[in-house]
Amino acid sequence: MRVLVVEDFEVLARSIGTGLRREGMAVDVVLDGSDALDHLAVVRYDVVVLDRDLPGVHGDEVCRRIIAERSNSRVLMLTAAGTVKDRVDGLGLGADDYLPKPFDFSELVARIRALGRRAAPATPPTLHGGDVTLDPSRRVAFRAGRRLELSPKEFAVLECLLAAGDRVVSAEDLLERVWDEAADPFTTAVKTTIRRLRAKLGDPPVIHTIREAGYRIGDR
C-alpha cells in the first residue's frame, strides 16, 4: 500500500510515517498542501492522510482537487478539529473518513487498511498462488502449510505478486507500490528482496522471472 501523509507538525508527521512503514506500508511524508499536490501529480497513492489546517494550500482545497481529478486515492482527514460539524464538513468535501486528534495509532492503521482495500481492485480476503497462501488482514503467509517469516518488504512484494494472479508485475511497479520516494530508482532493492523471498519460499521455485518484463508467481 502506498500512503501519503500530509501534516504540518513535523514531529507528528515523521512519527506517523515511521509507524506506518513498520506496518509494511510505503509512505511519503510532506508538510504542506503545495508539496502534497506536487506528489499527487506524479505518484498514485492508495490513501492520503490529510490534515485540514495546512500552510500554503489548505487541506480542504487539497481534498477538493483529489476529488475533482477523479483520483482513486482515498482521503482520511486527520485533524484537531473534532466536533460533529467539523466531521460533517470534512466528509462533505469528499473525504472518505475522518479521525480527530488525539488518536490511537492502531485505529489509524485499521482505518488506512480499510480505505486501502476500497482504493484497490477487489481482491479475495485470502490470496493464493499454487501452494502459497497470504492473508493481508492477519499479515501472515504460508507455503504448503508452513508459516513464512517475512520482512515487511518481502510480505508486500509477495502480496503484490499474488494479487496480480497470472499477470506479470514489472520491477518498476514493485518499486512504486512497495517502496517510497526515498528509494533510488536504480537500486537493486527489488532484485535483492525477490532473491530473499525465493529463498524463504523454498523449492520448487514459485516466483518466475519473465525476461525484460518482470516477475510472475505460479507453479511454472
Side-chain angles (χ1 to χ4, degrees), residues 29-209:
V29 175
V30 298
L31 306 177
D32 61 68
S34 298
D35 204 2
L37 292 174
D38 289 342
H39 278 68
L40 288 162
V42 296
V43 179
R44 178 170 60 91
Y45 293 99
D46 298 293
V47 179
V48 180
V49 179
L50 180 65
D51 186 22
R52 286 188 74 178
D53 191 15
L54 292 171
V57 180
H58 195 275
D60 289 358
E61 180 60 23
V62 175
C63 184
R64 289 190 189 97
R65 294 195 195 182
I66 292 173
I67 303 305
E69 293 173 6
R70 300 182 181 276
S71 169
N72 289 326
S73 300
R74 302 297 179 177
V75 178
L76 169 60
M77 283 206 165
L78 185 66
T79 176
T83 67
V84 172
K85 183 180 184 303
D86 291 320
R87 292 195 292 272
V88 170
D89 289 345
L91 295 171
L93 291 167
D96 299 279
D97 200 357
Y98 195 108
L99 185 61
K101 302 172 186 175
F103 58 89
D104 184 88
F105 186 74
S106 62
E107 182 179 6
L108 174 64
V109 171
R111 288 178 182 243
I112 290 174
R113 291 202 189 284
L115 291 177
R117 289 191 292 271
R118 292 168 56 187
T123 57
T126 303
L127 301 174
H128 300 273
D131 59 357
V132 178
T133 303
L134 182 145
D135 186 334
S137 62
R138 294 171 53 215
R139 308 296 295 171
V140 293
F142 300 87
R143 183 169 193 190
R146 172 177 61 88
R147 181 163 179 167
L148 303 170
E149 298 299 329
L150 304 178
S151 71
K153 293 301 185 200
E154 292 163 355
F155 188 95
V157 167
L158 182 60
E159 185 176 2
C160 284
L161 294 174
L162 288 172
D166 292 331
R167 291 180 287 110
V168 176
V169 182
S170 70
E172 291 77 12
D173 284 342
L174 288 173
L175 192 64
E176 178 181 340
R177 303 307 302 160
V178 177
W179 282 264
D180 54 37
E181 66 180 358
D184 183 342
F186 301 103
T187 184
T188 60
V190 173
K191 288 185 178 180
T192 300
T193 303
I194 289 286
R195 183 175 67 249
R196 291 174 178 168
L197 185 54
R198 281 173 169 154
K200 291 183 178 182
L201 286 165
D203 292 323
V206 69
I207 298 176
H208 308 284
T209 300

